[in-house]
Amino acid sequence: MPFDARTRPLTAPQARVLATLLEKSRTVPDSYPLTLNSLLAGCNQKSSRDPVMQLTESEVQQALDELRQQTLVLEIGGARVARWEHNFTRGVGVPDQSAALLGLLMLRGPQTAGELRINAERWHRFADISSVEAFLDELQSRSDDKGGPLVTLLPRAPGAREPRWAHLLCGPVDASPAQMASASPASRSEEDGALAQRVQALEDEVAALRTTVQRLCEQLGVAEH
């Protein structure tokens, strides 16, 4: 059975966990798959997240258990510390490019095609905005036998130059004018996007270093401080 958000939508914690695994698999492959602690830190980081969340370890573990039942994540055994990886492309039935777009929409909220292309730079390099729009159109026109649409184009918000796209993995989106007006800014500058990417890169480097220290401690049989 293909993933169908209409009958079994993801919860907010499930979406954050799944999107974080998607992100880290592309931005810090040396630290991937992730331990529970690394995943928790990624879920709760303050940059490149909309909304910012404060999930607990038990909430992340519960989301992992639920996602595993849907074959959307896999637990990797054989180590002293359990590690987790996503099974998004196969579980949902989308190509890597579409998975990148859906992951970004889950992490950062509704975005224009232009914003998605900028924010996807470290995930997948799209040739141009048209290629982004082509994958979004494909996700929007997804047939019922494949699980139905996974994104929707929102009405243009007041003062916005371009409409934004939102994911449907957590169910229908409130696209009322009041909701759109109160949502995050409809247009972000390239400068803000570049700054967010630099902050994200630094956080990913710190996460990679922590993972390296953890693995060294495991190999040497010493406690991590």
Side-chain angles (χ1 to χ4, degrees), residues 110-117 129 133 136 153-165 180 184-188:
Q111 298 160 74
T112 67
E115 290 169 345
L116 283 167
R117 183 180 177 231
I129 293 179
E133 292 173 335
L136 290 169
L153 186 61
L154 302 175
R156 187 175 302 175
R161 290 176 295 178
E162 299 178 22
R164 294 176 299 159
W165 292 83
M180 292 302 99
S184 57
S187 177
R188 302 180 180 92

Side-chain angles (χ1 to χ4, degrees), residues 6-195:
R6 298 167 301 180
T7 58
R8 194 174 182 182
L10 298 178
T11 64
Q14 289 173 355
R16 177 56 55 88
V17 166
L18 191 54
T20 301
L21 287 171
L22 271 164
E23 176 192 51
K24 301 308 181 184
S25 69
R26 295 165 183 266
T27 59
V28 285
D30 291 343
S31 304
Y32 187 82
L34 300 183
T35 64
L36 180 60
N37 285 339
S38 297
L39 179 55
L40 177 63
C43 288
N44 292 337
Q45 69 184 51
K46 293 181 173 55
S47 63
S48 306
R49 298 290 185 268
D50 186 7
V52 172
M53 301 177 73
Q54 286 298 319
L55 298 177
T56 64
E57 184 175 309
S58 62
E59 288 174 327
V60 171
Q61 184 63 64
Q62 179 180 346
L64 285 169
D65 293 339
E66 294 164 346
L67 290 168
R68 179 170 52 184
Q69 292 176 3
Q70 301 183 59
T71 67
L72 293 176
V73 302
L74 303 171
E75 182 178 2
I76 308 302
R80 292 177 58 188
V81 179
R83 293 181 177 273
W84 298 86
E85 66 179 16
H86 72 82
N87 188 38
F88 190 87
T89 52
R90 178 175 296 182
V92 178
V94 294
D96 287 342
Q97 299 93 324
S98 297
L101 296 174
L102 288 168
L104 285 167
L105 290 172
M106 284 190 283
L107 283 181
R108 299 182 178 219
Q111 298 160 74
T112 67
E115 290 169 345
L116 283 167
R117 183 180 177 231
I118 293 172
N119 293 332
E121 185 68 18
R122 298 180 65 221
W123 294 45
H124 176 85
R125 290 193 175 185
F126 291 93
D128 48 37
I129 293 179
S130 296
S131 62
V132 173
E133 292 173 335
F135 281 103
L136 290 169
D137 289 338
E138 192 175 275
L139 289 169
Q140 186 179 41
S141 59
R142 193 167 182 251
S143 62
D144 288 340
D145 64 313
K146 292 184 178 179
L150 293 177
V151 300
T152 184
L153 186 61
L154 302 175
R156 187 175 302 175
R161 290 176 295 178
E162 299 178 22
R164 294 176 299 159
W165 292 83
H167 75 85
L168 298 174
L169 293 163
C170 294
V173 176
D174 184 358
S176 64
Q179 177 66 20
M180 292 302 99
S182 63
S184 57
S187 177
R188 302 180 180 92
S189 67
E190 291 192 14
E191 182 179 351
D192 288 343
L195 176 59

